[in-house]
Amino acid sequence: MLPARNRMRRSAEFSVTVSRGVRAAQPDVVVHAFRDDSEGTDANGPRIGLIVSKSVGNAVERHRVSRRLRHVARTFVPGLDPADLIVIRARPSSRDAASSGLERQLRQALERVSSKRGTSP
């Protein structure tokens, strides 16, 4: 489970991350990352949000995918900058993917995002 301070809750944060952030696609997930270095923000830790749409499956399958993605994302929090906003969008194939595969794909996507931004992961 992600700590409360690392969960993205505001729709404005989701919107700015998806629209202005850097995108990295993998077979089962798409990662959007945005570093919010503006002055008025409280950078008390990176925030991670999940998008798991109905195309992934019914409610039980979507919640299962969400739990697995939250568990995998938790391992990456210490390596992120406190001003980072990360949105992970699950693709329909994530329903059948192994957790180890999701972790590998998320790691690759975060590395690709950091190289596109010119920062270290």
Side-chain angles (χ1 to χ4, degrees):
M1 183 60 90
L2 279 170
R5 64 185 167 90
N6 295 121
R7 287 185 226 144
M8 190 181 297
R9 292 190 184 93
R10 297 184 181 104
S11 68
E13 290 177 332
F14 278 90
S15 296
V16 74
T17 303
V18 171
S19 65
R20 294 178 47 202
V22 178
R23 177 182 181 271
Q26 292 290 317
D28 299 321
V29 294
V30 177
V31 174
H32 299 270
F34 180 71
R35 182 159 295 161
D36 192 3
D37 290 330
S38 60
E39 281 300 316
T41 61
D42 58 343
N44 59 354
R47 286 186 299 286
I48 298 174
L50 300 176
I51 299 173
V52 184
S53 70
K54 286 186 178 182
S55 67
V56 172
N58 63 28
V60 173
E61 293 168 330
R62 291 193 311 268
H63 289 314
R64 183 177 297 127
V65 169
S66 295
R67 283 192 305 271
R68 290 173 41 213
L69 285 174
R70 274 195 307 270
H71 179 75
V72 168
R74 179 182 64 158
T75 61
F76 295 104
V77 169
L80 296 172
D81 187 87
D84 281 344
L85 299 175
I86 308 289
V87 171
I88 303 167
R89 184 170 52 89
R91 289 184 163 175
S93 59
S94 64
R95 171 183 56 232
D96 302 321
S99 293
S100 60
L102 290 174
E103 182 175 5
R104 179 182 44 76
Q105 289 181 37
L106 189 54
R107 177 177 290 111
Q108 289 174 347
L110 288 172
E111 288 172 358
R112 189 176 305 159
V113 161
S114 65
S115 69
K116 285 182 180 180
R117 287 194 301 196
T119 61
S120 61

